[in-house]
């Protein structure tokens, strides 16, 4: 159970190529090795794409549902990678997935990682207060959205959204 969606646009402000990979990693809480292998596969595929395209210098974003807290081995792998990935929401609230099932409290398992040449310009924290009120989210009941069916067209996941606007150092 893994998915990868990748894009390869050119950065408007430079001659760099930007690789974007969105993942949904294995959900079994104990599948650390599987998630790590999935991320290694993504990195290999992105590097192969670079080589095939003749790209020597690129930036990358790896984001999605990691199904693992930031202290896990998958995150350690990304932080140690030669691309220098960093969690752009490192100081954000630590919950993107509500409590329930095997969880007694919520977890932050959804991430946006960016390479060293990309800088956060705007961070959207998991959810604005007005949307939180519209959803009637509560960490003390499950399901958290009693008035609205989730997933839905507006909220296509049972996870809170994370988003960021990233720029390069050459942008002002």
């Amino acid at each position: 159970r893994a998915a990868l969606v990748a894009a390869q646009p050119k950065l408007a402000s430079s001659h760099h190529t930007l690789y974007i990979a969105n993942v949904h990693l294995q959900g079994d809480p104990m599948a650390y090795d599987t998630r790590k292998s999935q991320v290694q596969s993504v990195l290999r595929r992105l590097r192969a794409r670079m080589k095939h395209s003749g790209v020597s210098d690129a930036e990358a974003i790896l984001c999605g549902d990691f199904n693992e807290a930031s202290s896990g081995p998958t995150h350690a792998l990304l932080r140690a990678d030669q691309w220098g990935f960093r969690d752009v929401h490192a100081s954000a609230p630590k919950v993107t997935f509500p409590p329930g099932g095997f969880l007694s409290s919520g977890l932050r398992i959804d991430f946006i990682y960016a390479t060293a040449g990309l800088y956060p310009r705007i961070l959207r924290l998991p959810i604005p207060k007005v949307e939180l009120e519209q959803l009637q989210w509560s960490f003390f009941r499950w399901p958290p959205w009693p008035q609205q069916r989730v997933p839905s067209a507006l909220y296509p996941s049972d996870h809170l959204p994370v988003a960021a606007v990233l720029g390069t150092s050459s942008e002002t």
Side-chain angles (χ1 to χ4, degrees):
R1 185 189 122 178
L4 166 67
V5 177
Q8 183 184 338
K10 287 277 189 188
L11 293 172
S13 63
S14 71
H15 299 291
H16 286 106
T17 297
L18 171 65
Y19 290 92
I20 305 167
N22 185 9
V23 299
H24 186 184
L25 303 180
Q26 176 58 252
D28 178 348
M30 303 311 291
Y32 296 110
D33 290 339
T34 301
R35 286 188 292 274
K36 193 173 169 182
S37 176
Q38 289 170 330
V39 166
Q40 288 169 330
S41 173
V42 168
L43 295 175
R44 274 193 310 273
R45 289 158 53 189
L46 290 177
R47 288 188 177 102
R49 179 79 178 177
M50 279 180 67
K51 184 176 180 179
H52 177 74
S53 300
V55 174
S56 60
D57 195 12
E59 300 297 340
I61 298 168
L62 183 57
C63 58
D65 181 353
F66 283 69
N67 276 312
E68 181 178 294
S70 62
S71 59
T74 304
H75 300 278
L77 170 77
L78 280 171
R79 290 188 295 267
D81 185 77
Q82 66 190 31
W83 254 335
F85 283 100
R86 69 191 185 298
D87 176 5
V88 302
H89 282 97
S91 61
K94 302 301 182 209
V95 176
T96 62
F97 186 76
F102 68 92
L103 299 174
S104 59
S105 62
L107 286 176
R108 181 167 174 253
I109 59 174
D110 304 279
F111 296 87
I112 300 172
Y113 278 91
T115 51
L118 297 173
Y119 301 90
R121 302 283 186 220
I122 300 170
L123 296 178
R124 176 185 168 147
L125 297 178
I127 197 163
K129 186 177 180 183
V130 66
E131 290 180 35
L132 194 66
E133 290 168 357
Q134 287 172 346
L135 286 172
Q136 297 180 14
W137 174 272
S138 172
F139 288 115
F140 303 108
R141 67 174 174 257
W142 186 260
W145 298 278
Q147 307 300 324
Q148 182 176 350
R149 302 275 309 161
V150 174
S152 68
L154 183 59
Y155 292 97
S157 176
D158 57 345
H159 297 235
L160 293 175
V162 292
V165 174
L166 302 171
T168 64
S169 61
S170 61
E171 295 174 332
T172 56

